[in-house]
Structure formats: structure tokens, C-alpha cells
Amino acid sequence: MKKIISLLICLVLIFAFCGCSKKTDPVDMNRIYSVDAEVKMGDFSANVGLNRLGNGAWDISFTKPDNLKGLAITYQNDKADVSFNGLNFSINREDIPVNAIVSTLTNVLENAAYGRELSFTKKDGKITVKGKVEDTDYVLTLDEKTNSLLELDIKKQNLHVTFSGYKLMT
């Protein structure tokens, strides 16, 4: 009986340690890069080019849908410069609604870059990063070999983003 109990305890410990092995060390996402994003939020879909230029600095450009094609937004410090069809203006970044697609994307990617309260797990060649911004949970998926962005899901906002063309800039 003692042998069976000892064997069961050993098996439980082995499975417990195997389950923990999926967790991984934090990934450094505080990089300068460009990436294309196919964004779906409810019935809305768009293609957006994102260039992370440094801490909180972004160049964002819409390529689809046609009615937003050419919309460009540059975030620098607390300022947002917006350009669309010859109209140019600057506003305070904080005046852009938090749940706007552009704000959501950049806020999540900045949060991931700084590693604030994130959890990382590895499975099937992918790294899953779970975090929270503005009381909203997100799941960001990276390629395990290259650490490039693959997907972003924010269920609370019905937002799914598929990333492609990830490229580090120097």
C-alpha cells in the first residue's frame, strides 16, 4: 500500500512539473519594428500598417477599407498628428478614445513592450502573452523562433488582429 501511495505521489509531482514547463521567460518586445495588421472588430475590418519608432512613438497608416485608405496617424510623446486627404491636424493623444482601434492596438503593444503584469506560455511553436490594459484583458501571440507578432485577441472589444510582415528596424 505504501508503494502504491508513493508511486501515486511521484506521478502527481511529475505531471505537476510537466504542466509548469509550458511557462516561459518574458520576451523582450521593446523593439523598433514595422508590421501589417489585418484588424477585425465586429462587422468592421481594416488593414493597417504599424511602425513602432520607439517608446510610445508610432506611425500608423490605413490601407483598407477604401474610405479610410490614406489615413495616417503619428504618435509622438503626448501628441497625435492626423493626416487624411489633405487635411492635417494635431490633437492631444489622450483625446483619442481609448477604445478606438488605433489606441487599442498601440496601447496593447506598448504594454507588451514594457512587460507590465504579463504572463508568457509556450506551446506548438508559439508564445502566448496575456496582459491587461485599461481593465481589458488581451492575448498576444508571437512566433517562438523569431518573437514576431502573429495575432492579438481582445474578447471584450470583439477585436481580432492578424499580423504579417513583421520586420525589425534599425
Side-chain angles (χ1 to χ4, degrees), residues 47-59:
N47 288 5
V48 181
L50 299 166
N51 294 312
R52 185 172 190 267
L53 306 173
N55 297 340
W58 293 86
D59 277 339

Side-chain angles (χ1 to χ4, degrees), residues 6 11 30 38 45 48 84 89 106 114 117 138 159 161:
S6 297
L11 287 173
N30 190 5
E38 184 180 327
S45 63
V48 181
F84 186 60
F89 61 93
T106 56
Y114 292 112
E117 299 180 29
Y138 67 85
L159 176 68
V161 181

Side-chain angles (χ1 to χ4, degrees), residues 24-29 31 33 120 122 125-127 129 140-150 166 168:
T24 187
D25 293 329
V27 176
D28 180 13
M29 291 181 283
R31 302 173 173 190
Y33 60 84
F120 296 83
K122 232 185 251 192
K126 296 178 181 177
I127 298 173
V129 182
L140 183 64
T141 307
L142 310 173
D143 181 272
E144 183 179 353
K145 290 181 183 175
T146 63
N147 291 341
S148 61
L149 301 171
L150 297 176
Y166 180 89
L168 291 175

Side-chain angles (χ1 to χ4, degrees), residues 112-161:
Y114 292 112
R116 297 180 192 131
E117 299 180 29
L118 303 176
S119 68
F120 296 83
T121 54
K122 232 185 251 192
K123 185 178 180 182
D124 299 329
K126 296 178 181 177
I127 298 173
T128 301
V129 182
K130 293 183 180 181
K132 183 180 265 192
V133 173
E134 302 289 333
D135 296 325
T136 301
D137 295 325
Y138 67 85
V139 178
L140 183 64
T141 307
L142 310 173
D143 181 272
E144 183 179 353
K145 290 181 183 175
T146 63
N147 291 341
S148 61
L149 301 171
L150 297 176
E151 293 182 321
L152 170 64
D153 282 300
I154 303 176
K155 289 184 181 183
K156 184 176 181 179
Q157 294 182 351
N158 195 22
L159 176 68
H160 178 79
V161 181

Side-chain angles (χ1 to χ4, degrees), residues 53 56-60 73-77 79-81 93 96 102-103 106:
L53 306 173
W58 293 86
D59 277 339
I60 303 139
I73 303 168
T74 298
Y75 285 158
Q76 189 69 40
N77 300 319
K79 190 171 99 176
D81 294 322
R93 188 172 178 175
I96 297 174
V102 171
S103 294
T106 56

